């Protein structure tokens, strides 16, 4: 870092912009000249320098340091901070789920001589939505007339909050209030409402709104609107209407992406129209839309549901031949289907082959395997897989472990029971119920009545550590 005896405000801003490390940037900001003990007058920071350091600290989530900068900014008298700076700070706090701090910044804006407009109000409302602080949102919204007049963005945020809570009645009330106040709904308004209606399976209402948005409000339906409607229609098995909307998109030169084709493929499998799946795939490719990982995962899941494992495996292998690789979901779906059908060997072979295929098993992979082996009564393999799972830092599903240990208890299988307890203890996943079960088993097996004898049997004979 450069150390100059006299760094101008313009030069300081340039140095801050160049510095990638936020902590070093903070040191530079606080000590722009080489002599921090100088008796000269306070350094004349520029608004740009404040903006740059606040951005760096906020993105790095260095909030205590950010508060220090804000305390200095509050003392500045040479300029008035811009509203966008506070909007950014509110957003940083919201992304960190610090709703109270975001509210505090909004409340403190006047003390920085900065007026609050609908822009900062909307930023705060959106931040509270990110934090899922719906009650706080409502309080701010009710008192918004003290700060600014709401706009379409304000209502869109509040309608989205209702959608997130599955409160479509509240969303409609806000939509009506919005129009009564003379605020024109836009494409975001309709997209949010239609998405909420589709997720509530009120697809007919969503279709009507889609017509109204163009005929009544002259707002063109977006690809997002079409995607929501197509997904909703597939959910209620109205495939014909879903395909009609897809064709309408093509006619209106609205891009049909891989997500929409994937939704249609999933819908076809759901209603048993498997023979049409590859027709859709061919159309997809002919339109220049390349099948992606989600598309192939839909194929794998669909073939597995129909017990066409050869086709599912073929889709998995085909993915590997493409420029993209199968993800862990691809394998998990097929492995789970194998276990469900009692194909334990095939499931284990594929699971063990995952690293060679360039995909690392995750916690879900291990849980599927443990559950599958347990259902197949492969008890030794379950104990081995649990130990490997815990060794790799993954937490087993509590209900599955309870089921396994109770089964070993019923069989009086002390050897495996102690192996499991040992594995759980190593990973710090053992609880009082597990210890109680182990003690109960050894007590009934060896007729030991003294607790200390039981404890010694567990800890000394099997090297267990409570």
């Amino acid at each position: 870092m450069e150390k100059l005896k006299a760094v101008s405000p313009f030069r300081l801003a340039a140095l801050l912009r160049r510095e990638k490390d936020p902590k070093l940037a903070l040191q530079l900001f606080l000590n722009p000249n080489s002599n921090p003990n100088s008796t000269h007058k306070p350094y004349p920071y520029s608004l740009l320098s404040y903006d740059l350091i606040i951005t760096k600290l906020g993105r790095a989530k260095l909030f205590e340091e950010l508060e220090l900068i804000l305390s200095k900014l509050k003392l500045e008298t040479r300029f008035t901070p811009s509203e966008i700076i506070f909007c950014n700070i509110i957003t940083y706090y919201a992304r960190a789920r610090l709703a109270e701090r975001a509210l505090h910044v909004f409340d403190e804006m006047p003390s920085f001589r900065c007026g609050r407009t609908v822009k900062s109000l909307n930023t705060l409302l959106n931040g509270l939505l990110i934090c899922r602080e719906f009650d706080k949102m409502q309080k701010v919204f009710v008192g918004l007339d003290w700060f600014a007049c709401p706009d379409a963005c304000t209502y869109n945020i509040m309608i989205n909050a209702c959608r997130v809570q599955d409160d479509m009645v509240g969303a409609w009330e806000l939509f009506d209030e919005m129009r009564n106040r003379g605020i024109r709904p836009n494409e975001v308004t309709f997209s949010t409402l239609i998405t909420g209606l589709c997720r509530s399976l009120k697809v007919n209402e969503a279709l009507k709104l889609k017509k109204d948005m163009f005929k009544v409000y002259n707002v063109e339906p977006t690809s997002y609107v079409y995607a929501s409607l197509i997904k909703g229609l597939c959910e209620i098995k109205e495939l014909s209407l879903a395909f009609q909307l897809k064709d309408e998109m093509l006619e209106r030169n609205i891009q049909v992406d891989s997500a929409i084709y994937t939704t249609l493929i999933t819908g076809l499998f759901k209603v048993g129209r498997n023979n049409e799946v590859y027709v859709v795939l061919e159309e997809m490719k002919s339109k220049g839309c390349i099948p992606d990982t989600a598309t192939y995962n839909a194929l794998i899941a669909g073939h597995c549901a129909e017990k066409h494992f050869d086709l599912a495996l073929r889709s998995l292998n085909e993915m590997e031949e493409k420029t993209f690789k199968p993800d862990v979901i691809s394998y998990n779906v097929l492995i789970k289907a194998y276990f469900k059908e009692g194909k334990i060997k095939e499931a284990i072979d594929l699971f063990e082959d995952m690293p060679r295929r360039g995909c690392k098993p995750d916690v879900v992979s291990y849980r599927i395997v443990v559950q599958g082996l347990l259902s197949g009564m492969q008890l030794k393999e379950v104990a081995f897989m649990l130990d490997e799972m815990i060794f790799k830092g993954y937490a087993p599903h509590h209900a599955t472990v309870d089921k396994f240990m109770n089964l070993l208890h019923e069989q009086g299988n002390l050897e495996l029971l102690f192996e499991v307890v040992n594995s759980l203890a190593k990973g710090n996943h053992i609880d009082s119920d597990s210890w109680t079960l182990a003690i109960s088993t050894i007590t009934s097996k060896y007729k030991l009545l003294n607790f200390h004898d039981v404890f010694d049997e567990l800890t000394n004979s099997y090297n267990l550590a409570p």
Side-chain angles (χ1 to χ4, degrees):
M1 187 188 301
E2 298 183 43
K3 284 189 175 181
L4 302 178
K5 291 185 177 181
V7 178
S8 69
F10 178 81
R11 178 63 174 162
L12 176 60
L15 291 172
L16 287 172
R17 194 189 304 276
R18 188 185 307 167
E19 181 56 63
K20 303 299 181 184
D21 188 324
K23 292 186 177 180
L24 292 179
L26 176 64
Q27 292 179 21
L28 176 62
F29 181 89
L30 295 176
N31 303 289
N33 292 315
S34 58
N35 183 9
N37 298 318
S38 173
T39 58
H40 294 163
K41 60 183 179 180
Y43 187 84
Y45 292 102
S46 67
L47 179 58
L48 177 58
S49 292
Y50 274 106
D51 190 13
L52 288 167
I53 192 61
I54 285 171
T55 299
K56 289 180 181 294
L57 295 175
R59 288 176 176 173
K61 298 183 179 181
L62 298 173
F63 296 125
E64 297 307 317
E65 293 83 350
L66 178 56
E67 293 290 340
L68 172 64
I69 299 301
L70 285 178
S71 66
K72 291 177 66 67
L73 179 60
K74 185 178 285 189
L75 300 176
E76 289 286 354
T77 57
R78 292 171 297 106
F79 54 78
T80 299
S82 59
E83 186 179 19
I84 187 62
I85 289 179
F86 296 99
C87 290
N88 290 337
I89 296 171
I90 290 169
T91 299
Y92 297 139
Y93 281 139
R95 288 173 180 171
R97 303 300 189 269
L98 298 172
E100 289 296 338
R101 287 198 179 188
L103 276 165
H104 180 71
V105 170
F106 182 78
D107 291 338
E108 286 287 296
M109 285 176 64
S111 67
F112 289 84
R113 305 166 308 285
C114 180
R116 294 175 290 188
T117 71
V118 70
K119 188 171 186 176
S120 53
L121 172 70
N122 290 342
T123 302
L124 176 62
L125 287 173
N126 192 61
L128 294 174
L129 175 57
I130 292 172
C131 297
R132 297 300 189 258
E133 293 284 358
F134 302 114
D135 290 341
K136 289 184 175 64
M137 286 185 71
Q138 188 60 34
K139 288 180 181 178
V140 172
F141 182 70
V142 168
L144 60 83
D145 288 330
W146 285 93
F147 314 116
C149 293
D151 59 9
C153 182
T154 311
Y155 277 95
N156 289 342
I157 294 169
M158 296 304 297
I159 289 171
N160 194 30
C162 290
R163 180 195 63 80
V164 170
Q165 299 175 87
D166 295 323
D167 178 17
M168 292 312 298
V169 173
W172 278 117
E173 290 175 354
L174 285 166
F175 182 62
D176 291 338
E177 179 183 322
M178 179 182 189
R179 291 178 297 166
N180 291 337
R181 297 187 69 157
I183 299 173
R184 183 177 177 80
N186 56 26
E187 61 182 37
V188 176
T189 314
F190 291 107
S191 296
T192 306
L193 284 168
I194 287 172
T195 300
L197 290 169
C198 289
R199 289 184 178 177
S200 301
L201 299 183
K202 298 177 180 179
V203 186
N204 290 331
E205 292 181 39
L207 286 169
K208 182 180 182 303
L209 186 58
K210 180 246 182 188
K211 291 181 181 178
D212 289 346
M213 71 181 287
F214 180 69
K215 290 183 178 180
V216 179
Y217 301 96
N218 198 30
V219 178
E220 291 278 353
T222 62
S223 59
Y224 188 80
V225 167
Y226 278 104
S228 296
L229 287 168
I230 289 171
K231 185 174 182 179
L233 288 168
C234 287
E235 286 291 327
I236 63 173
K237 301 181 180 180
E238 289 286 352
L239 270 293
S240 297
L241 283 174
F243 275 93
Q244 285 179 27
L245 285 180
K246 182 265 298 178
D247 292 338
E248 184 180 313
M249 291 181 71
L250 294 172
E251 291 170 5
R252 300 179 63 180
N253 292 320
I254 299 175
Q255 183 182 6
V256 182
D257 61 16
S258 61
I260 289 177
Y261 279 111
T262 299
T263 299
L264 291 170
I265 288 170
T266 301
L268 288 172
F269 275 120
K270 188 178 292 186
V271 298
R273 291 163 58 177
N274 305 4
N275 57 320
E276 299 177 45
V277 166
Y278 285 94
V279 176
V280 174
L281 271 176
E282 288 304 315
E283 178 190 311
M284 180 179 184
K285 295 173 184 177
S286 70
K287 300 297 181 182
C289 187
I290 306 301
D292 58 12
T293 301
T295 308
Y296 278 101
N297 285 348
L299 289 171
I300 292 169
H303 289 316
C304 286
E306 296 296 320
K307 301 180 183 179
H308 295 156
F309 297 107
D310 54 336
L311 294 177
L313 190 58
R314 184 189 303 173
S315 296
L316 184 67
N317 293 332
E318 186 178 330
M319 290 176 74
E320 294 183 331
E321 298 170 3
K322 306 296 181 182
T323 55
F324 49 85
K325 293 290 184 183
D327 60 13
V328 70
I329 297 174
S330 315
Y331 291 98
N332 288 348
V333 169
L334 185 50
I335 291 170
K336 187 173 183 178
Y338 274 142
F339 274 122
K340 187 176 180 180
E341 196 60 21
K343 296 179 178 290
I344 296 177
K345 183 180 183 304
E346 291 86 344
I348 294 299
D349 287 346
L350 184 58
F351 172 78
E352 293 178 346
D353 206 30
M354 285 176 68
R356 184 191 66 78
R357 290 171 175 253
C359 186
K360 180 183 177 182
D362 64 2
V363 62
V364 177
S365 309
Y366 275 98
R367 287 180 175 182
I368 289 171
V369 171
V370 169
Q371 179 62 50
L373 290 171
L374 184 57
S375 298
M377 295 300 289
Q378 306 286 316
L379 303 187
K380 289 185 178 180
E381 288 77 6
V382 173
F384 174 81
M385 197 59 64
L386 268 177
D387 187 63
E388 180 179 315
M389 177 183 190
I390 293 170
F391 175 77
K392 292 191 175 182
Y394 296 133
H397 198 279
H398 183 72
T400 302
V401 172
D402 281 351
K403 181 180 178 181
F404 183 38
M405 291 189 67
N406 276 291
L407 182 60
L408 295 176
H409 170 71
E410 291 170 4
Q411 293 184 352
N413 193 335
L414 289 178
E415 181 180 355
L416 278 185
L417 181 62
F418 293 148
E419 284 185 22
V420 173
V421 172
N422 192 27
S423 296
L424 294 171
K426 287 178 181 176
N428 201 27
H429 296 299
I430 194 167
D431 55 20
S432 58
D433 291 340
S434 301
W435 279 112
T436 300
L437 188 61
I439 291 171
S440 173
T441 305
I442 197 172
T443 301
S444 60
K445 183 75 174 180
Y446 293 113
K447 310 299 182 185
L448 298 174
L449 299 179
N450 186 286
F451 172 80
H452 296 290
D453 293 338
V454 178
F455 187 81
D456 289 342
E457 183 70 28
L458 278 166
T459 57
N460 297 333
S461 301
Y462 296 91
N463 297 318
L464 300 179

